[in-house]
Amino acid sequence: MTAIFFGLLAVVVGIFLLPYWIISANPFPQPAGQWKVGTTNLTWHELDANGERISHQPGAIAKVWYPTDAVVGIASPYIDDIDRTLSFFTTGQNPLYQLLLHQRYFGRIQTPALVGALPAENSMGFPLVLFSPGFGGINFINTFYALEFASQGFIVVGINHPGSSGITLLDDGTAVGIKEPYKVLSKIGPPVANFDALFNEIILQQARNISMVLDEVIKLNADANSWLYQKIDWHRIFAAGHSAGGTASFAACEQDRRILKAVNFDGYIKDPIGMDNLEQPLLLILSDRARYPKNRQLRQQLAELYTKDAERTSRLASQANLRQLSLPLVGHLNFADLSLLTPWLAKVTGLVGEVDGYELLSNTSATAINFFNG
């Protein structure tokens, strides 16, 4: 009986300790640029048709990364306001499970960004990147890109999109999840016509959100009491994003000519009708769609979408300034932080491709930065 007891105890302890091995506490190396990185939050508000804030609606919280001269400070957690964020997904779960998940597992993950550090001074201001996550994603899942961009002298605003991001925290203490009609897009094999209608609705809304966030940043840049006062170079405003967020960055260029360039990390192309006057340079970086996802049935279900996307990409390339890169052995989720957070689990489960996760993120961030600076 004693041997059985200790055997069971070892199994239980092993189960609780397994995430410590699977989830890295410090997955992000110091970014490669000359600057240290600071971080803080920014609250943006939906505007009415006249460009005025809708006062009765709470603001959505975005995260900002920026260059700083500070060398010491409090390291930013990977997930801000972790109890609010994770409780949204774990409501009704065992309190012990919530404690372990919040504080002992995901709460351990730190980043090199310094909370509340003063932004660096730059007489010309810093270029701005408005970064959107993929459908159902949350802005912190692209932290690697944000850190790299900020270390290279960019101010980066990570935007959550209420209704199509997995969760968007609001400044009144509530949170918004994915709208019910949009949840069908998380299922495999929706009717293509229905997919197109919902997808275009989401993309156009996200493009409007990007412009609204830009409006908020403009106000802060002009406010002498703001930490962003005269910190932005208005001749260098860019958009970027992963998956649907990348598609939205292209659509934002169509709607808002203040945005000078956009990078799309493996996002589908919405119907390019009406984009024939798009003059801004666009960069599309694609995964290896012939090989991933690994599951053959899933790949077959996505084949029709891939075919239509290839046709739309070709049409967009014929009428816009589009540069394309296709990367072998790269999966769709290689463009998020997953391969750094849980490299072994991500690769074994086929969620990412066969490339080294850090190398892929480093190379694609350098490609994007060169594109912005070119």
Side-chain angles (χ1 to χ4, degrees):
M1 290 296 292
T2 301
I4 295 175
F5 171 77
F6 281 108
L8 291 174
L9 180 62
V11 170
V12 172
V13 171
I15 291 172
F16 280 114
L17 292 179
L18 184 62
Y20 282 84
W21 174 62
I22 293 177
I23 302 171
S24 174
N26 297 289
F28 300 98
Q30 285 292 335
Q34 62 174 315
W35 299 98
K36 297 294 185 181
V37 179
T39 186
T40 190
N41 289 331
L42 179 151
T43 303
W44 60 273
H45 299 85
E46 187 171 355
L47 308 179
D48 62 20
N50 297 316
E52 299 296 326
R53 173 184 169 184
I54 302 175
S55 58
H56 65 276
Q57 292 189 0
I61 300 172
K63 186 164 184 173
V64 188
W65 295 262
Y66 50 86
T68 181
D69 292 317
V71 294
V72 295
I74 300 173
S76 172
Y78 182 60
I79 306 176
D80 285 330
D81 207 346
I82 190 168
D83 286 330
R84 275 184 70 195
T85 301
L86 293 186
S87 292
F88 183 83
F89 299 105
T90 60
T91 300
Q93 296 290 337
N94 183 287
L96 176 61
Y97 172 78
Q98 289 199 30
L99 174 65
L100 290 171
L101 189 68
H102 294 198
Q103 304 302 327
R104 296 294 180 260
Y105 298 160
F106 292 111
R108 296 164 54 241
I109 307 175
Q110 301 290 310
T111 81
L114 303 177
V115 177
L118 290 176
E121 296 295 331
N122 185 344
S123 60
M124 301 297 292
F126 294 104
L128 175 71
V129 178
L130 303 161
F131 201 107
S132 297
F135 173 75
I138 309 174
N139 59 9
F140 60 74
I141 67 172
N142 298 108
T143 290
F144 184 93
Y145 285 130
L147 292 170
E148 283 299 313
F149 292 172
S151 78
Q152 298 284 353
F154 293 78
I155 293 175
V156 183
V157 182
I159 307 170
N160 281 327
H161 298 282
S164 59
S165 290
I167 177 176
T168 301
L169 298 181
L170 306 180
D171 63 357
D172 69 349
T174 61
V176 176
I178 299 175
K179 289 182 179 179
E180 194 62 37
Y182 296 163
K183 290 182 180 179
V184 67
L185 297 185
S186 63
K187 301 174 183 179
I188 302 303
V192 171
N194 188 44
F195 176 93
D196 282 347
L198 291 174
F199 185 71
N200 285 341
E201 180 180 326
I202 289 169
I203 296 309
L204 293 176
Q205 180 58 57
Q206 290 192 2
R208 288 192 290 271
N209 289 345
I210 291 170
S211 289
M212 285 190 284
V213 173
L214 180 53
D215 291 337
E216 294 288 327
V217 175
I218 287 174
K219 292 177 183 178
L220 292 174
N221 188 72
D223 182 354
N225 296 315
S226 167
W227 66 276
L228 265 177
Y229 180 58
Q230 295 185 346
K231 291 293 189 292
I232 306 296
D233 178 356
W234 293 114
H235 300 290
R236 302 180 66 199
I237 300 172
F238 311 115
H242 173 226
S243 195
T247 310
S249 74
F250 280 10
C253 282
E254 177 188 359
Q255 296 183 7
D256 194 329
R257 297 308 168 95
R258 295 174 297 180
I259 301 170
L260 302 183
K261 296 181 181 180
V263 176
N264 178 346
F265 294 103
D266 207 34
Y268 294 115
I269 300 299
K270 80 174 188 70
D271 195 325
I273 292 176
M275 298 180 72
D276 51 322
N277 293 320
L278 189 60
E279 298 176 353
Q280 299 101 312
L282 308 174
L283 174 61
L284 175 62
I285 303 179
L286 294 174
S287 65
D288 192 343
R289 293 179 175 178
R291 188 176 273 106
Y292 300 101
K294 284 186 175 181
N295 183 285
R296 180 179 299 179
Q297 181 179 1
L298 178 55
R299 205 161 57 244
Q300 290 174 342
Q301 289 174 318
L302 292 171
E304 186 175 354
L305 293 178
Y306 285 161
T307 299
K308 178 172 283 191
D309 188 60
E311 294 171 353
R312 289 179 172 178
T313 301
S314 178
R315 287 169 55 199
L316 182 61
S318 70
Q319 62 194 46
N321 186 1
L322 178 66
R323 177 187 171 193
Q324 300 178 62
L325 293 176
S326 296
L327 304 180
L329 302 178
V330 172
H332 182 66
L333 292 179
N334 267 117
F335 299 101
D337 298 329
L338 184 63
S339 59
L340 299 182
L341 298 172
T342 60
W344 175 83
L345 182 62
K347 191 163 285 191
V348 166
T349 54
L351 294 175
V352 297
E354 298 169 42
V355 298
D356 178 80
Y358 170 74
E359 182 178 352
L360 182 280
L361 289 170
S362 297
N363 290 341
T364 51
S365 62
T367 297
I369 289 168
N370 289 337
F371 174 73
F372 291 144
N373 288 334

